[in-house]
Amino acid sequence: MADPVEVGLRCGWFSVKANAVGKLWSLFFVLSAVISVAVCWFAPDWQWWFPGDGQAHSTIGKRIDALFYLILVIVAVTFVATQAVLGYVLWRGATIKPEEKTLFSHGSHSLEVIWTIVPAAVLLFIALYQLDVWAQFRIKGAIKDKNGHMVKPEPVAEVTARQFEWRIRYPAVGKPLPPKPQPDDIYSVNELHVPSGRPIEITLRTDDVQHAFFVPELRIKQDAVASLEIPVWHDVLENRSYDMLCAELCGWGHYKMKAKLFGHSQEDFDDWKERASVEQFDDGFRKSIEEK
Ligand SMILES: [Cu+2]
């Protein structure tokens, strides 16, 4: 038969060890919440959040970022509260005295009602709150410019994805974008030029497999689906270039579909089109005749 003194000592040792492990877990859960919040707080300054300089460069992109931050705050508050309760319970369990009574619970009806209704209300709030952003992203009649005015986006180009490049068709200078190719259309490859400061529309197509038009800094992403012509609208708030990518694994050369989107002032856009048109239709012969 085991010596009762020895058994008592052994239980004491185990309970000291269990208490230490309990405290360790408690600190782990609390610290993980503290570290997560600290990282979230500083991440935008460290540019860990979003590509480029961390800012959205389109009106819809700014709204999408605002939604992201709203959801992040809701999730962060829930996470911190959960971790704090978990840490407290573990700490309390690890430091409870042998003479204290342990609390046994077989569930609480009120608590269950609360933690069902509160998340449902939060989800309903997010669903209703984001309706306006979704409408601007997907419903043409709801597009607003940077000043909040309803506008009709101007069709500027047809963007056709193909393995493995972007072919872009613009109308001739001074003409609207024709639905079908015309002899005087202007073409570019892997360079999309658009006027900045107002909503524009591109028609997205694919010649072969499924691709995805993605401009991370504008927060614009749209699949290009075979046999469909999909209108994509957005504005570009600055006159500069942005990475334009394919976000669908479309084949062995998918990595090559890295292109550029250029935002121009109206004047620079018109100049670019003029130059592109002259360059495209110059056969070298006509120019030499004109020079003589
Ligand atoms: Cu691709």
Side-chain angles (χ1 to χ4, degrees), residues 32-290:
S32 64
V34 173
I35 292 169
S36 305
V37 171
V39 168
C40 288
W41 193 266
F42 292 111
D45 289 339
W46 295 337
Q47 296 184 6
W48 282 7
W49 260 177
F50 296 121
D53 61 4
Q55 303 295 318
H57 289 262
S58 66
T59 305
I60 188 74
K62 288 189 185 299
R63 300 287 311 272
I64 291 171
D65 283 7
L67 273 181
F68 172 84
Y69 282 116
L70 170 75
I71 293 170
L72 182 74
V73 167
I74 294 171
V75 170
V77 168
T78 312
F79 178 64
V80 168
T82 312
Q83 296 294 91
V85 171
L86 193 56
Y88 169 75
V89 169
L90 284 170
W91 188 268
R92 188 83 182 85
T95 56
I96 196 165
K97 294 192 177 71
E99 62 273 16
E100 278 185 81
K101 266 192 175 178
T102 306
L103 173 72
F104 286 97
S105 164
H106 294 282
S108 160
H109 185 69
S110 321
L111 257 183
E112 285 182 21
V113 169
I114 290 170
W115 70 45
T116 303
I117 288 179
V118 171
V122 170
L123 287 177
L124 190 65
F125 165 72
I126 294 172
L128 295 175
Y129 185 79
Q130 59 82 49
L131 274 180
D132 182 40
V133 181
W134 180 251
Q136 286 194 48
F137 199 54
R138 287 293 178 222
I139 302 170
K140 221 189 249 185
I143 306 167
K144 290 179 186 161
D145 65 8
K146 60 185 173 185
N147 301 318
H149 300 130
M150 301 289 246
V151 280
K152 201 168 176 285
E154 178 196 345
V156 290
E158 179 189 73
V159 176
T160 305
R162 48 178 277 172
Q163 290 173 313
F164 296 96
E165 63 185 13
W166 301 94
R167 293 211 158 185
I168 297 137
R169 180 172 70 88
Y170 308 86
V173 179
K175 289 190 178 175
L177 182 70
K180 296 285 170 225
Q182 301 298 317
D184 56 356
D185 285 343
I186 303 165
Y187 288 87
S188 67
V189 175
N190 289 344
E191 280 188 11
L192 173 58
H193 295 261
V194 298
S196 61
R198 64 174 195 274
I200 52 100
E201 180 183 316
I202 61 163
T203 306
L204 186 61
R205 294 180 55 241
T206 169
D207 260 0
D208 37 53
V209 298
Q210 190 169 325
H211 300 267
F213 174 80
F214 183 31
V215 189
E217 286 174 90
L218 303 183
R219 316 288 190 252
I220 298 295
K221 190 190 261 182
Q222 172 62 53
D223 279 359
V225 183
S227 83
L228 291 185
E229 290 186 350
I230 302 173
V232 179
W233 52 80
H234 60 81
D235 56 3
V236 181
L237 295 177
E238 282 180 38
N239 300 328
R240 46 161 283 203
S241 68
Y242 299 94
D243 284 340
M244 186 176 115
L245 314 164
C246 175
E248 189 73 54
L249 187 54
C250 54
W252 68 268
H254 167 64
Y255 71 95
K256 295 202 291 187
M257 292 188 71
K258 188 172 178 182
K260 286 279 181 195
L261 182 149
F262 294 88
H264 298 285
S265 64
Q266 185 64 49
E267 202 179 19
D268 286 351
F269 179 64
D270 293 341
D271 279 355
W272 172 81
K273 259 178 104 172
E274 194 76 50
R275 270 185 285 117
S277 174
V278 169
E279 202 174 297
Q280 179 176 307
F281 293 106
D282 175 33
D283 55 5
F285 177 73
R286 190 176 54 193
K287 208 172 169 188
S288 63
I289 297 280
E290 283 167 5

